[in-house]
């Protein structure tokens, strides 16, 4: 494992202190940014409601974790769904090219009486 911009054994580019570069991981950057916003919002609202500093920091940290995880899983689910749809379309195009003009072509059966 090499550090500071070098590649790791699993192909991830490593950043400072040996941590992977977050902008290279799908959905990670957006999830952390959403988590930061959720943290500030949750902590600030709790502080304005109760004026308890330590508890507001705890609520802010919980807001960060929950918002980050929620955003991460939502993004990964949508990416997986998109990949599945793309694969289905690619297979359909491949089958269309393969069967076009043969007796197995479904559009030909629809046109022939």
């Amino acid at each position: 494992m090499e550090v500071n911009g070098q590649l790791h054994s699993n192909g991830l580019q490593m950043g400072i202190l040996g941590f992977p570069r977050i902008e290279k991981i799908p959905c990670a950057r957006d999830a952390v940014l959403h988590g930061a916003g959720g943290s500030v919002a949750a902590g600030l609202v709790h502080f304005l409601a109760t004026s308890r500093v330590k508890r507001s920091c705890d609520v802010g940290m919980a807001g960060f974790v929950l918002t980050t995880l929620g955003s991460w899983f939502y993004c990964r689910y949508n990416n997986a769904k998109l990949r599945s749809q793309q694969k289905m379309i690619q297979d359909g195009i491949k089958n269309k090219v393969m069967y076009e003009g043969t007796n197995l072509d479904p559009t030909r059966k629809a046109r022939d009486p």
Side-chain angles (χ1 to χ4, degrees):
M1 176 172 100
E2 296 185 28
V3 207
N4 295 333
Q6 300 299 321
L7 286 180
H8 189 260
S9 61
N10 62 3
L12 287 176
Q13 189 176 11
M14 304 306 282
I16 299 173
L17 299 176
F19 291 109
R21 305 274 312 250
I22 195 164
E23 67 267 9
K24 302 293 182 187
I25 301 171
C27 299
R29 180 180 175 272
D30 290 337
V32 169
L33 290 174
H34 290 143
S39 169
V40 169
L44 185 62
V45 166
H46 189 272
F47 178 74
L48 292 175
T50 64
S51 297
R52 296 174 64 188
V53 177
K54 185 182 181 316
R55 179 64 61 129
S56 297
C57 290
D58 293 342
V59 169
M61 188 62 195
F64 174 77
V65 170
L66 293 175
T67 308
T68 301
L69 289 176
S71 177
W72 169 272
F73 286 120
Y74 178 76
C75 181
R76 296 293 287 187
Y77 173 76
N78 281 338
N79 282 351
K81 190 168 63 169
L82 182 65
R83 276 194 308 266
S84 172
Q85 290 171 348
Q86 287 173 342
K87 178 147 178 51
M88 190 174 6
I89 290 171
Q90 285 175 344
D91 290 343
I93 290 172
K94 184 176 70 174
N95 287 339
K96 172 72 174 163
V97 169
M98 187 183 320
Y99 295 129
E100 191 172 28
T102 66
N103 291 336
L104 299 174
D105 186 8
T107 58
R108 186 173 180 192
K109 288 180 183 177
R111 286 184 299 199
D112 292 340

